[in-house]
Amino acid sequence: MDILTGCAGSTATEIGKCTAKPIIRHIGYLYNFNKIVEDLTTAKKVLQLEQQKVQESIKQAEMNTEVVDKVVQGWLANVQQLMKEVQTLENKVQVNMRFCNGWCPDWIWRYKLCKKVIQKTTALKELQEKGNFSQVAHRAPTPGIEIFSSRDFEVFESTKLAFQQIMEALCDDSIKRIGLHGMGGVGKTTLVKEVYKKAKELDIFNDLVMIVVSLTPDVRRIQGEIAGCLNLKLDEESDTARANRICLRIKSVEKILIIVDDIWKDFNLEAIGIPSCDDHEGCKFLLTTRSEHLCNIMRCQRKIPLNLLLEEESLALMKKAADIVDDYPILNDVVLKVVENAKTLIGKSLNDWNVAMLQLRKSRLVDIEGVDEEKNAYACLKWSYDQLKRKTKLCFLLCSLFPEDYNIPIEELTRYAIGLKEYEDVDSLEDIRSQVRATIGSLKDSSMLLEGIQKGYVKMHDMVRDVGLWIASKGENEFKLRACTHLEKNIDFERVTAISLMASNTKQLPDKLVCPTLSILFLGRNEDSKEISDTLFEGMNCLQVLRLEEKILSSQSFQFLTNLRSLYLEKCDFSDNLSSMGKLKRLETLSFQGCGMVALPNELGEMESLKMLDLTNCNKLKWIPPNVIQRLSRLEELIIGSWSFENWDVEGTSTEIINVNISELNSLPVLVMLSVRLDLKHLPQGFVFPDLQRYNISINCLSLLELQLNDNPTCLNSRTLEIKGLEASSMDAFKMLFRTVEYIYIESCEMESIVDTTGGNHTITFTNLVQLYLQKMSCLRTICEGPNQYVIFSNLTVLDAYGCKRLINLFSSCIAQSLKKLKKLHLEHCNELRQIIYEDGKILESHNQPICFPELETIRVHKCRKLEYIFPTSVARDLPQLESLELVDLPQLKQVFGHEKEGDVGDENNNVLSKLRNLKLMNLLELGRLYRGNSSSVWPSLEDLYVVNCPKMKASFFTNVEANVRALEKVILYTSQCFVLHVCVHYKFILKNLIKN
């Protein structure tokens, strides 16, 4: 018995030992809960660090154009999936801990949760151990770089090979200088632009710079381009100091690629601020040139040719450019012959070209210094020139007179065209301007001109310019234009009709230049030849167009130019009082761009043919004598601008210095364009601005439009009124302009309405108005006083009213119906504003007067303390483009859409705001709902909802919120202080202080 008892005891002991450990472990799940959760968090962090390490290795591999291994991709996918599962588990843990709060835990739930946590911790550790890869990627097989083509970039075998070679060189740390060489027009510039895009996409470099050097490098322009690429401000005056600043900026970048396009000769990069590769290990240099020899001179370690297209590639490109379809075999044969001829004529003589290229109208190879004979693209360009209309040809030749890579202002080009006999039959300047723009459009369509730096400018490709100069230099064109761009002793100046020295390095201008047939003369800025002799123009009796930049001269030098029709002076200074300019009887356009004169002479009024006077940026000009402007009876355009003369006289009273009177404008019968700034509190009694076609009138303020456009010549095409601090009695002066004005800015003017029709003024106004800004109009009560069926805002897109403290309402229902194009409505600090839309002083009955704003995108209303609603309910149903609704500090606002007299309209109807992305409601103490009645709304595109301090918001609003985000995962938390709705994924909601106890 003892033996049995002993055996039983020992057996029980052994059984207890075997079962105790699992039991203790499982019981430990309950009491070591926090420790188990901490282990999960630690394992998660370790895996995240390993994940980040692998991702950084992948990024470096991609920079070297390597392909990521599939095993690594699979591991990253597993990590991402496991992280999502762990996040879900952590959320459940947080819920368990929050509900328990340390008391009365659900032991069964906690036990199950612990087991899951331990399992995930083990999975995290195992996955982390698998992430120790010796390598994450491998080199891609050749060709391994996919070219992402732009519209102008055609992928052929030649360009693809060059592209791959460049990218390989960029990824090779031992190569610092790369040279791309090929004939002009073969596509070097387009190719390096693609390289720039690809390098930026792959994030190989910290910064990228691309500049154009050209045949005659302009150091300051190039430095400006570099500074623009690097967001660097250059305040230094000298080129050397600017270069030092650029060099320091480049050296501060760890890895940088500098693309230098169109180098013609050995160029000192350090002179513009680019350090040598020895001084900056992280700097790589890619140049393009027409000469392989220049690649050697520039010490390029890798020379990459960009060859001519293969025959089939040329055929495909020509067929695409000419829009030739494959099912037209006869035309295909002709195209193939042209391609074959061009290929066989490389290096042949001019006679061979003339015999073989009959298809190109016997176009001849141009003879240009520094250009090889085999560049047959010039013959095609000459053929393209021959197809142009007469005036388009003249415009093309004028553009070729500007320097390489010059941004040519179309307005400036127009003024030169005005001075030539080709346009003598055109009546007005505006008609000539339209014709020039049409010819510019034709040249751009034929790719003979390119888009410039911004709207209103064009550029000419250097090869196209070469053709233009060649045509002009021969003098065999139909205009008998014979041009030269430099002064040499062997030039027969007696036959020259055009001279352009805008980019010339001429150190000294002669005292006299006999050019009896010269029609066009361009003299650019040159530090060594600023002063002009009084006799320089003595032998230029036929001169019609003259452009001078940064010159010092006397007006007496103009006395010989009796046939001059267009004079363009930029940043010039004068040694006399300009009195001799009155002898220019045939002058039609006179432009003083930033010139330094203090006064205009009385003799200016003797220019009986003058049609345009431009005084832009003449900030030293203080005096224009009275009766000078009004004597210019043929003046069509007067351009003064905001940075020039502003001392206009109003009453004409005798003072020490009497200036021009604003009333003189009414003595100009054909004036159609006016750009002027006036500094005065009132206009002459009874004065009315003439019926102008284009204008930019600024009173007592700098032109915001000119500041925005930054001297962009397109501002001359605007119709703008900017008025500040003007007496209400003077506003009638603009009544003619209200019919055509496009942009109005009015600030601090003491008027109760913008338009008053109570006196029987039934002229239709504001039909062209696009933007209306009202600032600090302390007396303004409404926009239109009296009958308003003639006030139509059919083109208004922006309405902004700020600080209009007495403004009661904005629009009548009649006016509101015309706002079909309104996009932005901004109202702020309009303390008395009660209604945005009204009818005859009463609240609008919207069901009788349907109003819609089909283009309205933004509504922003701040601090309008008496506003009770924004729009009638009917309007809310017609806001298909509304993206942002922002209402702040409106203490009387009861609902956004709808008012008390509408009744409970729209019951159980959904108001769909399909594009609403942002909704901000803040400090709306009376707001109970968005819509009157039981209407609800649908916001399928809502991204941001911000609601703060809206204590009376109805529960129906939150129902709408939940309904709108029902497709998303959401967590709703209620507390005694606030209602918070948190939505995950891409939506961000902040709702504070909505429901208080």
Side-chain angles (χ1 to χ4, degrees), residues 627-660:
N627 304 322
V628 169
I629 298 296
Q630 69 179 13
R631 289 156 58 196
L632 302 174
S633 59
R634 299 186 63 186
L635 194 68
E636 298 177 22
E637 300 183 0
L638 177 59
I639 305 165
I640 299 179
S642 292
W643 308 95
S644 187
F645 178 80
E646 60 185 43
N647 301 327
W648 291 79
D649 186 20
V650 176
E651 302 298 338
T653 57
S654 297
T655 58
E656 183 178 352
I657 298 179
I658 301 177
N659 254 312
V660 59

Tab-separated table of all heavy atoms in Angstrom, residues 627-660:
chain	number	residue	atom	x	y	z
A	627	ASN	N	-0.074	122.192	-73.236
A	627	ASN	CA	-0.400	122.356	-74.659
A	627	ASN	C	0.503	121.559	-75.586
A	627	ASN	O	0.378	121.681	-76.807
A	627	ASN	CB	-0.376	123.833	-75.072
A	627	ASN	CG	-1.304	124.681	-74.223
A	627	ASN	OD1	-2.403	124.235	-73.870
A	627	ASN	ND2	-0.867	125.884	-73.868
A	628	VAL	N	1.417	120.758	-75.044
A	628	VAL	CA	2.249	119.914	-75.897
A	628	VAL	C	1.463	118.682	-76.330
A	628	VAL	O	1.389	118.353	-77.519
A	628	VAL	CB	3.550	119.502	-75.174
A	628	VAL	CG1	4.272	118.402	-75.956
A	628	VAL	CG2	4.463	120.702	-75.019
A	629	ILE	N	0.869	118.000	-75.378
A	629	ILE	CA	0.134	116.769	-75.691
A	629	ILE	C	-1.041	117.057	-76.621
A	629	ILE	O	-1.267	116.346	-77.607
A	629	ILE	CB	-0.356	116.098	-74.397
A	629	ILE	CG1	0.827	115.687	-73.504
A	629	ILE	CG2	-1.216	114.886	-74.710
A	629	ILE	CD1	1.732	114.644	-74.114
A	630	GLN	N	-1.786	118.118	-76.340
A	630	GLN	CA	-2.990	118.365	-77.126
A	630	GLN	C	-2.683	118.765	-78.567
A	630	GLN	O	-3.553	118.707	-79.435
A	630	GLN	CB	-3.848	119.426	-76.448
A	630	GLN	CG	-3.266	120.822	-76.452
A	630	GLN	CD	-4.203	121.820	-75.772
A	630	GLN	OE1	-5.149	121.426	-75.100
A	630	GLN	NE2	-3.929	123.093	-75.963
A	631	ARG	N	-1.456	119.177	-78.841
A	631	ARG	CA	-1.080	119.533	-80.218
A	631	ARG	C	-0.761	118.308	-81.067
A	631	ARG	O	-0.636	118.415	-82.286
A	631	ARG	CB	0.122	120.481	-80.199
A	631	ARG	CG	-0.234	121.889	-79.697
A	631	ARG	CD	0.981	122.612	-79.129
A	631	ARG	NE	2.063	122.730	-80.111
A	631	ARG	CZ	3.319	123.027	-79.791
A	631	ARG	NH1	3.646	123.214	-78.508
A	631	ARG	NH2	4.233	123.150	-80.731
A	632	LEU	N	-0.645	117.156	-80.429
A	632	LEU	CA	-0.345	115.926	-81.166
A	632	LEU	C	-1.663	115.332	-81.663
A	632	LEU	O	-2.157	114.332	-81.160
A	632	LEU	CB	0.398	114.930	-80.261
A	632	LEU	CG	1.715	115.444	-79.659
A	632	LEU	CD1	2.281	114.441	-78.669
A	632	LEU	CD2	2.733	115.751	-80.763
A	633	SER	N	-2.217	115.957	-82.668
A	633	SER	CA	-3.576	115.643	-83.103
A	633	SER	C	-3.719	114.247	-83.705
A	633	SER	O	-4.829	113.714	-83.786
A	633	SER	CB	-4.049	116.685	-84.120
A	633	SER	OG	-3.179	116.700	-85.251
A	634	ARG	N	-2.623	113.616	-84.109
A	634	ARG	CA	-2.697	112.276	-84.689
A	634	ARG	C	-2.310	111.190	-83.687
A	634	ARG	O	-2.200	110.015	-84.038
A	634	ARG	CB	-1.784	112.197	-85.928
A	634	ARG	CG	-2.167	113.175	-87.040
A	634	ARG	CD	-1.320	112.954	-88.282
A	634	ARG	NE	-1.529	111.630	-88.857
A	634	ARG	CZ	-0.833	111.131	-89.882
A	634	ARG	NH1	0.116	111.881	-90.443
A	634	ARG	NH2	-1.077	109.930	-90.354
A	635	LEU	N	-2.129	111.599	-82.430
A	635	LEU	CA	-1.694	110.641	-81.405
A	635	LEU	C	-2.787	109.606	-81.142
A	635	LEU	O	-3.901	109.952	-80.776
A	635	LEU	CB	-1.339	111.379	-80.121
A	635	LEU	CG	-0.546	110.564	-79.080
A	635	LEU	CD1	0.853	110.257	-79.601
A	635	LEU	CD2	-0.465	111.307	-77.749
A	636	GLU	N	-2.424	108.337	-81.313
A	636	GLU	CA	-3.350	107.232	-81.068
A	636	GLU	C	-3.073	106.544	-79.734
A	636	GLU	O	-3.989	106.027	-79.103
A	636	GLU	CB	-3.253	106.201	-82.196
A	636	GLU	CG	-3.628	106.725	-83.564
A	636	GLU	CD	-3.445	105.669	-84.651
A	636	GLU	OE1	-3.447	104.458	-84.310
A	636	GLU	OE2	-3.296	106.045	-85.823
A	637	GLU	N	-1.818	106.554	-79.312
A	637	GLU	CA	-1.451	105.811	-78.103
A	637	GLU	C	-0.507	106.656	-77.249
A	637	GLU	O	0.531	107.109	-77.729
A	637	GLU	CB	-0.791	104.486	-78.476
A	637	GLU	CG	-1.698	103.593	-79.301
A	637	GLU	CD	-1.074	102.237	-79.623
A	637	GLU	OE1	0.085	102.014	-79.193
A	637	GLU	OE2	-1.725	101.418	-80.293
A	638	LEU	N	-0.896	106.842	-75.980
A	638	LEU	CA	-0.075	107.564	-75.006
A	638	LEU	C	0.199	106.608	-73.849
A	638	LEU	O	-0.714	106.204	-73.125
A	638	LEU	CB	-0.796	108.821	-74.510
A	638	LEU	CG	-0.078	109.627	-73.432
A	638	LEU	CD1	1.286	110.104	-73.911
A	638	LEU	CD2	-0.937	110.816	-72.984
A	639	ILE	N	1.461	106.242	-73.692
A	639	ILE	CA	1.853	105.234	-72.701
A	639	ILE	C	2.839	105.867	-71.730
A	639	ILE	O	3.967	106.206	-72.104
A	639	ILE	CB	2.494	104.016	-73.400
A	639	ILE	CG1	1.557	103.461	-74.468
A	639	ILE	CG2	2.839	102.936	-72.383
A	639	ILE	CD1	2.242	102.520	-75.433
A	640	ILE	N	2.393	106.049	-70.497
A	640	ILE	CA	3.261	106.651	-69.477
A	640	ILE	C	3.529	105.658	-68.347
A	640	ILE	O	4.637	105.537	-67.858
A	640	ILE	CB	2.650	107.957	-68.934
A	640	ILE	CG1	2.500	108.966	-70.084
A	640	ILE	CG2	3.505	108.536	-67.814
A	640	ILE	CD1	1.899	110.284	-69.688
A	641	GLY	N	2.510	104.914	-67.926
A	641	GLY	CA	2.698	103.877	-66.921
A	641	GLY	C	2.792	104.417	-65.512
A	641	GLY	O	2.677	105.612	-65.243
A	642	SER	N	3.038	103.489	-64.565
A	642	SER	CA	3.030	103.834	-63.145
A	642	SER	C	4.380	104.282	-62.621
A	642	SER	O	4.475	104.741	-61.492
A	642	SER	CB	2.552	102.622	-62.324
A	642	SER	OG	1.189	102.360	-62.572
A	643	TRP	N	5.433	104.119	-63.385
A	643	TRP	CA	6.770	104.411	-62.883
A	643	TRP	C	7.384	105.582	-63.626
A	643	TRP	O	8.590	105.657	-63.797
A	643	TRP	CB	7.661	103.172	-63.023
A	643	TRP	CG	7.041	101.964	-62.417
A	643	TRP	CD1	6.311	101.008	-63.048
A	643	TRP	CD2	7.073	101.591	-61.038
A	643	TRP	NE1	5.887	100.056	-62.164
A	643	TRP	CE2	6.344	100.383	-60.912
A	643	TRP	CE3	7.652	102.141	-59.888
A	643	TRP	CZ2	6.174	99.727	-59.700
A	643	TRP	CZ3	7.476	101.490	-58.683
A	643	TRP	CH2	6.752	100.307	-58.602
A	644	SER	N	6.556	106.499	-64.043
A	644	SER	CA	7.041	107.627	-64.817
A	644	SER	C	6.317	108.890	-64.368
A	644	SER	O	5.972	109.040	-63.188
A	644	SER	CB	6.812	107.346	-66.309
A	644	SER	OG	7.418	108.337	-67.109
A	645	PHE	N	6.060	109.778	-65.261
A	645	PHE	CA	5.448	111.075	-64.963
A	645	PHE	C	4.075	110.907	-64.322
A	645	PHE	O	3.256	110.109	-64.772
A	645	PHE	CB	5.321	111.866	-66.269
A	645	PHE	CG	4.668	113.207	-66.105
A	645	PHE	CD1	5.385	114.293	-65.634
A	645	PHE	CD2	3.329	113.381	-66.427
A	645	PHE	CE1	4.786	115.529	-65.484
A	645	PHE	CE2	2.720	114.603	-66.286
A	645	PHE	CZ	3.443	115.690	-65.814
A	646	GLU	N	3.831	111.694	-63.240
A	646	GLU	CA	2.533	111.625	-62.571
A	646	GLU	C	2.025	113.008	-62.136
A	646	GLU	O	0.958	113.107	-61.526
A	646	GLU	CB	2.623	110.715	-61.347
A	646	GLU	CG	3.637	111.177	-60.312
A	646	GLU	CD	3.795	110.209	-59.157
A	646	GLU	OE1	3.846	108.992	-59.411
A	646	GLU	OE2	3.866	110.672	-58.007
A	647	ASN	N	2.769	114.068	-62.455
A	647	ASN	CA	2.429	115.415	-61.963
A	647	ASN	C	1.451	116.149	-62.879
A	647	ASN	O	1.719	117.253	-63.342
A	647	ASN	CB	3.701	116.244	-61.780
A	647	ASN	CG	4.679	115.617	-60.809
A	647	ASN	OD1	4.276	114.973	-59.844
A	647	ASN	ND2	5.963	115.773	-61.074
A	648	TRP	N	0.336	115.524	-63.150
A	648	TRP	CA	-0.662	116.155	-64.011
A	648	TRP	C	-1.334	117.321	-63.288
A	648	TRP	O	-1.611	117.248	-62.094
A	648	TRP	CB	-1.720	115.136	-64.418
A	648	TRP	CG	-1.200	114.071	-65.347
A	648	TRP	CD1	-0.468	112.973	-64.998
A	648	TRP	CD2	-1.353	114.023	-66.752
A	648	TRP	NE1	-0.159	112.238	-66.104
A	648	TRP	CE2	-0.695	112.850	-67.213
A	648	TRP	CE3	-1.973	114.843	-67.692
A	648	TRP	CZ2	-0.655	112.482	-68.535
A	648	TRP	CZ3	-1.937	114.472	-69.021
A	648	TRP	CH2	-1.281	113.308	-69.448
A	649	ASP	N	-1.603	118.363	-64.038
A	649	ASP	CA	-2.318	119.519	-63.490
A	649	ASP	C	-3.814	119.294	-63.689
A	649	ASP	O	-4.242	118.727	-64.691
A	649	ASP	CB	-1.867	120.794	-64.204
A	649	ASP	CG	-2.459	122.047	-63.570
A	649	ASP	OD1	-2.886	121.950	-62.400
A	649	ASP	OD2	-2.507	123.077	-64.246
A	650	VAL	N	-4.595	119.747	-62.701
A	650	VAL	CA	-6.044	119.564	-62.775
A	650	VAL	C	-6.721	120.849	-63.202
A	650	VAL	O	-7.413	120.925	-64.214
A	650	VAL	CB	-6.605	119.088	-61.419
A	650	VAL	CG1	-8.110	118.989	-61.487
A	650	VAL	CG2	-5.990	117.749	-61.050
A	651	GLU	N	-6.496	121.906	-62.454
A	651	GLU	CA	-7.221	123.150	-62.706
A	651	GLU	C	-6.505	124.069	-63.693
A	651	GLU	O	-7.092	124.986	-64.233
A	651	GLU	CB	-7.432	123.904	-61.381
A	651	GLU	CG	-8.194	123.098	-60.330
A	651	GLU	CD	-9.591	122.739	-60.779
A	651	GLU	OE1	-10.129	123.415	-61.675
A	651	GLU	OE2	-10.155	121.774	-60.254
A	652	GLY	N	-5.186	123.845	-63.904
A	652	GLY	CA	-4.453	124.710	-64.800
A	652	GLY	C	-4.108	126.055	-64.191
A	652	GLY	O	-3.892	127.041	-64.899
A	653	THR	N	-4.082	126.138	-62.878
A	653	THR	CA	-3.750	127.396	-62.212
A	653	THR	C	-2.271	127.698	-62.363
A	653	THR	O	-1.448	126.812	-62.548
A	653	THR	CB	-4.098	127.299	-60.718
A	653	THR	OG1	-3.401	126.192	-60.166
A	653	THR	CG2	-5.592	127.099	-60.533
A	654	SER	N	-1.926	128.953	-62.318
A	654	SER	CA	-0.540	129.377	-62.494
A	654	SER	C	0.267	129.009	-61.263
A	654	SER	O	-0.071	129.361	-60.146
A	654	SER	CB	-0.474	130.896	-62.725
A	654	SER	OG	-1.136	131.239	-63.917
A	655	THR	N	1.315	128.282	-61.480
A	655	THR	CA	2.250	127.927	-60.411
A	655	THR	C	3.644	128.169	-60.948
A	655	THR	O	3.830	128.606	-62.080
A	655	THR	CB	2.091	126.447	-60.009
A	655	THR	OG1	2.301	125.656	-61.178
A	655	THR	CG2	0.713	126.177	-59.443
A	656	GLU	N	4.619	127.881	-60.115
A	656	GLU	CA	6.000	128.109	-60.538
A	656	GLU	C	6.332	127.277	-61.780
A	656	GLU	O	6.984	127.746	-62.696
A	656	GLU	CB	6.945	127.764	-59.388
A	656	GLU	CG	8.411	128.054	-59.712
A	656	GLU	CD	9.306	127.743	-58.538
A	656	GLU	OE1	8.762	127.458	-57.445
A	656	GLU	OE2	10.542	127.790	-58.723
A	657	ILE	N	5.884	126.018	-61.787
A	657	ILE	CA	6.051	125.162	-62.954
A	657	ILE	C	4.678	124.643	-63.341
A	657	ILE	O	4.026	123.951	-62.574
A	657	ILE	CB	6.995	123.986	-62.656
A	657	ILE	CG1	8.389	124.494	-62.286
A	657	ILE	CG2	7.063	123.042	-63.846
A	657	ILE	CD1	9.368	123.390	-61.968
A	658	ILE	N	4.211	124.996	-64.519
A	658	ILE	CA	2.903	124.552	-64.984
A	658	ILE	C	3.087	123.292	-65.804
A	658	ILE	O	3.886	123.244	-66.727
A	658	ILE	CB	2.219	125.647	-65.836
A	658	ILE	CG1	2.062	126.928	-65.013
A	658	ILE	CG2	0.881	125.156	-66.359
A	658	ILE	CD1	1.473	128.064	-65.807
A	659	ASN	N	2.317	122.265	-65.459
A	659	ASN	CA	2.430	120.982	-66.136
A	659	ASN	C	1.235	120.741	-67.036
A	659	ASN	O	0.264	121.505	-67.048
A	659	ASN	CB	2.535	119.849	-65.107
A	659	ASN	CG	3.952	119.307	-65.030
A	659	ASN	OD1	4.573	119.022	-66.052
A	659	ASN	ND2	4.468	119.163	-63.817
A	660	VAL	N	1.304	119.670	-67.752
A	660	VAL	CA	0.243	119.286	-68.663
A	660	VAL	C	-1.064	119.067	-67.884
A	660	VAL	O	-1.052	118.569	-66.762
A	660	VAL	CB	0.642	118.003	-69.438
A	660	VAL	CG1	0.926	116.856	-68.488
A	660	VAL	CG2	-0.423	117.619	-70.436
